[in-house]
Amino acid sequence: MAERKKVLVLGAGYAGLQTVAKLQKQLSEEDAQITLINKNDYHYEATWLHEASAGTLNYEDVLYPIASVLKKHVKFVKAEVTKIDRNAKKVETTNGIFDFDILVVGLGFESETFGIEGMKEHAFQIENVNTARQISRHIEDKFANYAASKTKDNKDLAILVGGAGFTGVEFLGELTDRIPELANKYGVDQSKVKITCVEAAPKMLPMFSDELVNHAVSYLEERGVEFKVGTPIVAANEKGFVVKVDDKEQQLEANTVVWAAGVRGSHLMEKSFEGVKRGRIVTKQDLTIDGYDDIFVIGDVSAFIPEGADRPLPTTAQLAMQQGEKTATNIKHILKGEPTENFTYADRGTVCSLGRHDGVGVVFGREITGKKAAFMKRVVDTRAVFKIGGLGLAYKKGKF
């Protein structure tokens, strides 16, 4: 009997876990030895972190145990990957060294501050479950501090958000839901709360039309958000952001400062592969990389450029999960000695929530706003859970 091939999957985010979820249905214990390595023993819905950060969703509702969605013939190892030796076909971790015949790299994202001075030291990052918990607690602590203080520092009620892309806007939407609750809880005059969003680009939410952007801006402005679009942040310090307006620097002050303007792939990518930019490597059409037909790179660490296109597709949960499914199919082909298939992305649309009751988006080519968009966002979120964990997990963790 031939020795079983070792399939090693790094990362249990949307890409890696979707790969394993499909692989374990397609392959038996006799077909391959499947091992999943992740630094936490839980998977978290990264696209829900803005809710946990604002405190509108409990952090425990964002995650579930990885073991709960794995079959018995899949081995899970809780460890942090420290080195990938692609030529020796070995991966070093904090919990041992692992050999592989086929490797799937889905190591996920990290916050990207683009070299802005002081940003890592003075601003919270919406990066993982732990940072989300810290932000939520910090915001409530500031309200409590204001309520208990005799001097009443208005900066305790001021929140600065860097970035008006997808994450920044969704976070702002959740804040507009959370602030009234906190103001009521601590007896704070809500009119004193100041939420300011700073965006360097001339347009926020660049993936959407002007009509959708205008809807989002109007909705959030009515709920107290002030936007400073086309305003570069040149530094962050203990007071807040330093911004540039008409070539002059201005200090914006707040006791809560959150950076939500960018992500990059894992820093381990630069150490492991050539040609990596911002933690991402360009893949071939079947999601493997040049020179290595047995290494798949997917999710936030991949830069997939569709045939005939000039630029990589934006890294989204939808893309990552589709890549995971195709990777599982291609691994099955390799094990059977069959040629791999090229990956084709099916864009089913994008929805940006503006809190519980509103949103903007494009679904199957049609623009939607308001409650319809908010409903579709819940559908999208629940579907992501269902795709990996089935009906039981969707019932337990879904948004309905």
Side-chain angles (χ1 to χ4, degrees):
M1 183 178 173
E3 188 177 346
R4 290 184 304 158
K5 296 288 187 182
K6 295 177 180 177
V7 178
L8 192 59
V9 181
L10 309 181
Y14 291 111
L17 201 54
Q18 182 65 66
T19 302
V20 173
K22 186 163 184 180
L23 266 183
Q24 65 185 6
K25 293 176 184 176
Q26 294 181 330
L27 302 178
S28 68
E29 192 171 1
E30 289 73 35
D31 294 323
Q33 181 182 323
I34 306 168
T35 303
L36 172 63
I37 298 176
N38 194 62
K39 63 182 177 181
N40 302 309
D41 57 8
Y42 56 82
H43 163 87
Y44 61 86
E45 297 292 309
T47 58
W48 302 6
L49 287 177
H50 61 282
E51 296 172 82
S53 298
T56 52
L57 187 67
N58 191 299
Y59 80 93
E60 291 176 335
D61 294 328
V62 176
L63 53 84
Y64 55 83
I66 291 170
S68 69
V69 296
L70 298 183
K71 294 191 175 181
K72 289 181 180 178
H73 64 284
V74 175
K75 181 182 179 183
F76 172 68
V77 178
K78 181 182 176 182
E80 187 163 358
V81 178
T82 55
K83 184 180 179 182
I84 300 170
D85 189 332
R86 59 193 191 278
N87 294 317
K89 291 197 168 189
K90 291 182 184 295
V91 172
E92 295 180 18
T93 76
T94 52
N95 196 7
I97 299 173
F98 297 83
D99 301 323
F100 66 84
D101 295 299
I102 299 171
L103 179 67
V104 181
V105 184
L107 288 172
F109 71 89
E110 299 170 2
S111 181
E112 171 67 277
T113 58
F114 305 107
I116 298 174
E117 182 186 342
M119 190 61 78
K120 283 186 176 173
E121 294 78 16
H122 297 289
F124 288 104
Q125 327 281 315
I126 300 178
E127 199 167 25
N128 54 50
V129 172
N130 292 327
T131 61
R133 290 180 73 185
Q134 289 168 5
I135 296 167
S136 174
R137 285 174 176 174
H138 177 85
I139 292 170
E140 180 154 2
D141 285 347
K142 290 303 166 189
F143 271 75
N145 190 59
Y146 180 88
S149 170
K150 291 180 180 178
T151 56
K152 303 297 182 196
D153 183 357
N154 285 331
K155 292 194 292 294
D156 280 340
L157 303 181
I159 301 172
L160 279 174
V161 178
F166 214 86
T167 301
V169 169
E170 290 201 313
F171 178 59
L172 291 168
E174 297 303 319
L175 281 178
T176 63
D177 281 352
R178 180 85 193 285
I179 296 307
E181 296 173 6
L182 289 175
N184 182 59
K185 181 176 180 178
Y186 291 101
V188 169
D189 181 354
Q190 193 179 325
S191 66
K192 293 185 181 296
V193 179
K194 186 178 182 183
I195 305 172
T196 307
C197 178
V198 186
E199 171 57 57
K203 179 189 174 185
M204 53 187 274
L205 293 176
M207 72 289 293
F208 291 139
S209 69
D210 289 345
E211 288 77 14
L212 291 182
V213 172
N214 291 338
H215 177 93
V217 171
S218 298
Y219 182 87
L220 293 172
E221 284 183 340
E222 284 173 12
R223 282 152 185 80
V225 178
E226 179 188 353
F227 288 96
K228 293 183 180 293
V229 180
T231 306
I233 300 171
V234 295
N237 54 32
E238 63 279 354
K239 293 180 180 179
F241 289 147
V242 178
V243 300
K244 187 167 276 190
V245 180
D246 297 328
D247 291 327
K248 292 182 180 178
E249 291 189 357
Q250 292 181 6
Q251 176 74 57
L252 303 180
E253 297 189 6
N255 285 348
T256 300
V257 182
V258 180
W259 175 251
V263 296
R264 51 157 283 146
S266 167
H267 68 280
L268 196 66
M269 294 299 292
E270 278 92 347
K271 297 178 181 178
S272 306
F273 304 99
E274 283 88 33
V276 175
K277 293 181 180 177
R278 290 182 60 204
R280 298 186 176 114
I281 187 170
V282 174
T283 66
K284 294 191 291 185
Q285 293 301 302
D286 67 352
L287 303 176
T288 60
I289 56 174
D290 281 333
Y292 299 89
D293 293 338
D294 47 15
I295 298 180
F296 294 86
V297 180
I298 55 178
D300 291 302
V301 291
S302 76
F304 177 77
I305 305 173
E307 222 161 284
D310 298 322
R311 296 173 60 83
L313 293 174
T315 52
T316 63
Q318 183 181 182
L319 174 67
M321 294 181 76
Q322 289 185 31
Q323 287 181 328
E325 288 196 82
K326 180 57 73 176
T327 297
T329 298
N330 278 338
I331 289 172
K332 186 179 177 183
H333 284 318
I334 290 172
L335 293 174
K336 288 187 170 184
E338 299 168 351
T340 56
E341 301 172 13
N342 286 349
F343 172 69
T344 304
Y345 176 56
D347 186 357
R348 299 186 176 93
T350 305
V351 183
C352 176
S353 64
L354 302 171
R356 295 186 193 95
H357 308 296
D358 211 292
V360 293
V362 179
V363 179
F364 295 114
R366 294 183 60 184
E367 293 190 350
I368 55 173
T369 60
K371 291 182 179 178
K372 189 181 289 185
F375 175 80
M376 282 306 302
K377 182 68 174 182
R378 291 195 293 274
V379 171
V380 170
D381 287 349
T382 303
R383 183 177 182 273
V385 177
F386 170 76
K387 288 282 287 181
I388 289 174
L391 199 58
L393 191 65
Y395 178 78
K396 187 177 178 182
K397 291 288 183 180
K399 295 287 185 72
F400 293 98

